[in-house]
Amino acid sequence: MRHALILLLAFLSFTLHAALPPEKRIVFLGDSITQGGGYVEFIEAALIARHPDSDKEIIPLGLSSETVSGLSEDGHAGGKFPRPDVHERLDRVLEKAKPQLVFACYGMNDGIYFPLGEERFQAFKNGMKKLHDKVVATGARIIHLTPPVFDPVPIKVRVLPGGLAAYPQPYEGYNTVLDAYAEWLLSMRKEGWEVLDIHGPFNAALAEKRKTDAQFTFSKDGVHPGPEGHLIMASAVLTAWELKVKADGTPDHVNGAAILATIKKKHAILRPAWLSHTGHKRPGVAPGLPLPEAESKAATLDAEARRLAKSAEIEISNKTGEWNGYAKHELMIAGKSVTVVAPKKAAAGRPWVWHGEFFGHKPAPDIALLGKGFHIVYMKINDMLGCPDAVKLWNQCHAELTTSYGLSQKPSLVGLSRGGLYCYNWAIANPDKVSCIYGDAPVCDFKSWPGGKGKGKGDPKNWGFVLKLWGFKDEAAALAYQGNPVDSLAPLAKAGVPLLHVFGDADDVVPWDENTGLIESRYKALGGSITMIRKPGIGHHPHGLEDSTPIIEFIAKHAK
């Protein structure tokens, strides 16, 4: 669906000649949507991924609240300051940034969230013509972008109907104002203006989404789009410049995610620095570094992005140090920290081991597997105990690691103690995405631990987590639940997922016969393959084996 949407946008968008522009210095002007910078980052990341030796320099200079019309509503920002006017800073921008090509995206703020009014519309036209003429007078070229969409649906309790004398809150039909502004901009093509249409494709994409989800929105506050919306904004330029991206906007490159992450860091330094360097009158904008210092730091990041673009080997961003002699990276996926330890050289197919909990405890198998070319992964979602929301987070993590970083579609799962709930619950929901499961004294039934409803000691604090995380109305509902790993092994058996359990037969925390024992008998009855390694007289600790060879060989044999 998302790929089809991107193709639709490319078809709907007016495009320039399908080639990189000849200009070197390219400035992006606009309001807070441009200052946010998502679409600009998508464009530069894709540009570097496709043309790592390109001489293009992109300068982000969007400013929050800004207009091209010079208008401001009464009481803007609680009466603290009027909206900034791009014309107040335009001469300085042109003089100090010396752009050869300017992209300008205005309109969202220019009708000041009132219904369409002739005076406001004329102010927009006059301001846009003034901007156009001043840029052209310097010898530069300007490409206008129609505004994105105003969406009243997510803020329906805050919008006002038509026919009022004042609008302290936005007019509910304000997008029709932007329709008019976009239509006028597009009409200026007949005057020789270069205009790329964002507004039309944005409207079309929103309408398409609303066919199946009436509450869908690209902009949670009605104004500022999220990543999907910024991708729509970038699509016209990406198409014009023949730059390819994936459905999430990352460059279509083996290191696309790392390139985009690096460009985001670069722009985070350059945006405030250029705003400070060129000057503006909007309060509340944190000052940036002195431009020479910012450009020096940005140059380092730019060089890293280009190096990644020239590499055919998949690399992972955000290296934070080492773990047992191997590079450790900290990623943010679905808002959660994900640790990835990378081998010196990835094995064919890029196999990986995914820990449910307690990453780093008894590390011998991981260290050996790193030496064999495996990646080691841990998503930090403590105290979620493999609940349905944890499974959803793991789904997002798996999707990101297998698409952006090329890891195997079928990780080997390691469930140590409570980590068994994470691994088994995710594997049961995704049996076609698992190579094998190694459980070490694993929890396979929350009634046993933390419930303590059998032989085990139980854990009242974590039992409370279970009741909350699964949404049980009371303890009786939790005890009646039939969705624990011990109850749900059929999908794994059908998929032929091999299991290995290492356990102590004196475990009084996670009693083996209530967990591993049930897994063994029920999995074999379903025709599944399970290997058992018993540690006589051993309790819940210590985990692992003195000689990790059986664990290492099991994972290495079954990894895909």
Side-chain angles (χ1 to χ4, degrees):
M1 171 66 77
R2 295 183 70 186
H3 287 289
L5 178 60
I6 291 173
L7 291 173
L8 172 65
L9 299 179
F11 176 78
L12 291 173
S13 299
F14 170 79
T15 60
L16 306 174
H17 296 295
L20 291 184
E23 295 87 359
K24 175 181 177 181
R25 292 177 68 82
I26 304 170
V27 162
F28 280 79
L29 289 174
D31 50 37
S32 57
I33 298 171
T34 299
Q35 185 177 1
Y39 77 97
V40 185
E41 293 162 352
F42 283 147
I43 292 167
E44 180 162 21
L47 171 64
I48 287 177
R50 179 74 181 274
H51 303 283
D53 293 319
S54 167
D55 63 354
K56 311 305 176 193
E57 180 181 0
I58 289 180
I59 301 172
L61 267 166
L63 180 61
S64 181
S65 306
E66 192 166 71
T67 71
V68 73
S69 63
L71 300 176
S72 183
E73 61 271 49
D74 293 336
H76 173 257
K80 295 177 182 178
F81 60 90
R83 290 188 178 277
D85 178 356
V86 67
H87 298 289
E88 184 280 323
R89 66 183 179 115
L90 183 58
D91 287 338
R92 297 190 302 276
V93 167
L94 296 175
E95 176 186 355
K96 294 184 176 184
K98 294 180 172 54
Q100 296 165 317
L101 173 61
V102 173
F103 283 90
C105 184
Y106 289 99
M108 181 62 76
N109 298 326
D110 287 280
I112 59 173
Y113 301 93
F114 275 56
L116 186 64
E118 186 53 41
E119 288 188 11
R120 290 185 292 274
F121 195 3
Q122 192 60 50
F124 172 72
K125 295 176 184 177
N126 292 342
M128 198 63 79
K129 289 177 180 177
K130 184 178 177 182
L131 169 63
H132 181 94
D133 293 346
K134 187 160 283 189
V135 171
V136 170
T138 68
R141 185 162 63 107
I142 182 169
I143 298 174
H144 299 274
L145 305 176
T146 60
V149 163
F150 174 81
D151 185 1
V153 169
I155 56 170
K156 56 186 176 183
V157 298
R158 292 180 46 236
V159 295
L160 299 173
L164 304 181
Y167 284 85
Q169 295 174 182
Y171 165 50
E172 64 183 357
Y174 187 64
N175 197 53
T176 61
V177 177
L178 301 183
D179 290 342
Y181 288 8
E183 184 178 355
W184 176 80
L185 268 174
L186 292 169
S187 76
M188 293 303 289
R189 290 173 178 169
K190 67 179 182 294
E191 303 294 330
W193 287 25
E194 294 182 87
V195 183
L196 291 178
D197 188 17
I198 287 172
H199 190 75
F202 220 126
N203 273 333
L206 185 57
E208 183 67 24
K209 291 284 190 178
R210 292 268 166 85
K211 289 179 180 178
T212 54
D213 181 358
Q215 298 303 309
F216 178 86
T217 184
F218 288 111
S219 311
K220 291 182 180 180
D221 65 356
V223 173
H224 300 91
E228 279 189 275
H230 274 276
L231 180 56
I232 295 171
M233 295 182 68
S235 65
V237 177
L238 294 171
T239 301
W241 292 0
E242 295 184 325
L243 303 176
K244 296 181 179 180
V245 297
K246 298 178 182 178
D248 63 356
T250 57
D252 189 8
H253 186 283
V254 292
N255 287 312
I259 293 169
L260 179 59
T262 304
I263 293 304
K264 285 181 177 293
K265 291 179 181 178
K266 174 185 170 183
H267 281 226
I269 293 170
L270 286 180
R271 272 194 300 268
W274 270 107
L275 281 173
S276 293
H277 182 68
T278 54
H280 60 85
K281 291 187 176 181
R282 190 197 189 283
V285 178
L289 296 171
L291 189 61
E293 182 181 350
E295 288 188 321
S296 176
K297 291 178 180 292
T300 300
L301 292 166
D302 184 82
E304 172 65 7
R306 294 174 190 271
R307 183 191 70 78
L308 288 166
K310 292 178 181 179
S311 174
E313 175 69 19
I314 300 174
E315 299 185 33
I316 300 174
S317 59
N318 297 338
K319 180 179 177 182
T320 59
E322 292 192 347
W323 185 79
N324 288 291
Y326 292 91
K328 183 176 75 169
H329 308 264
E330 296 294 340
L331 309 179
M332 289 299 294
I333 300 176
K336 304 296 182 181
S337 176
V338 176
T339 298
V340 180
V341 183
K344 307 291 184 184
K345 182 176 176 56
R350 299 178 69 81
W352 53 299
V353 170
W354 197 353
H355 284 263
E357 268 293 6
F358 307 114
F359 165 71
H361 184 66
K362 295 292 183 178
D366 286 338
I367 295 170
L369 290 165
L370 282 162
K372 294 178 179 291
F374 282 68
H375 287 74
I376 311 297
V377 173
Y378 169 61
M379 186 178 206
K380 189 175 182 180
I381 48 174
N382 311 81
D383 299 328
M384 293 191 73
L385 302 179
C387 69
D389 284 343
V391 171
K392 291 176 183 178
L393 289 168
W394 269 42
N395 287 342
Q396 293 179 70
C397 185
H398 179 272
E400 177 72 8
L401 294 177
T402 56
T403 55
S404 296
Y405 297 101
L407 297 189
S408 164
Q409 289 290 326
K410 293 189 173 186
S412 301
L413 307 184
V414 174
L416 190 156
S417 189
R418 71 185 67 184
L421 288 174
Y422 291 86
C423 294
Y424 269 105
N425 286 338
W426 185 79
I428 289 163
N430 299 275
D432 59 334
K433 297 176 182 176
V434 183
S435 287
C436 59
I437 300 175
Y438 155 47
D440 193 305
V443 178
C444 303
D445 186 344
F446 59 51
K447 300 169 196 174
S448 172
W449 186 96
K453 305 306 178 183
K455 299 178 180 179
K457 300 175 181 179
D459 183 327
K461 178 182 177 181
N462 280 288
W463 183 235
F465 288 158
V466 167
L467 301 181
K468 180 179 179 181
L469 291 166
W470 270 263
F472 295 125
K473 64 179 181 179
D474 53 29
E475 185 171 283
L479 294 177
Y481 181 67
Q482 295 297 310
N484 272 287
V486 295
D487 307 311
S488 310
L489 295 169
L492 298 180
K494 183 177 180 181
V497 176
L499 311 180
L500 167 66
H501 277 218
V502 174
F503 63 98
D505 62 10
D507 192 336
D508 61 354
V509 177
V510 183
W512 80 274
D513 51 340
E514 298 174 0
N515 294 273
T516 286
L518 286 179
I519 293 287
E520 179 190 25
S521 61
R522 294 177 180 181
Y523 206 56
K524 285 182 176 178
L526 290 165
S529 170
I530 180 169
T531 301
M532 303 280 280
I533 300 180
R534 178 191 296 261
K535 297 187 292 186
I538 300 298
H540 193 59
H541 297 281
H543 291 288
L545 299 172
E546 289 187 12
D547 179 1
S548 299
T549 300
I551 299 168
I552 298 162
E553 290 181 344
F554 172 80
I555 293 175
K557 175 183 177 181
H558 295 291
K560 298 180 176 65

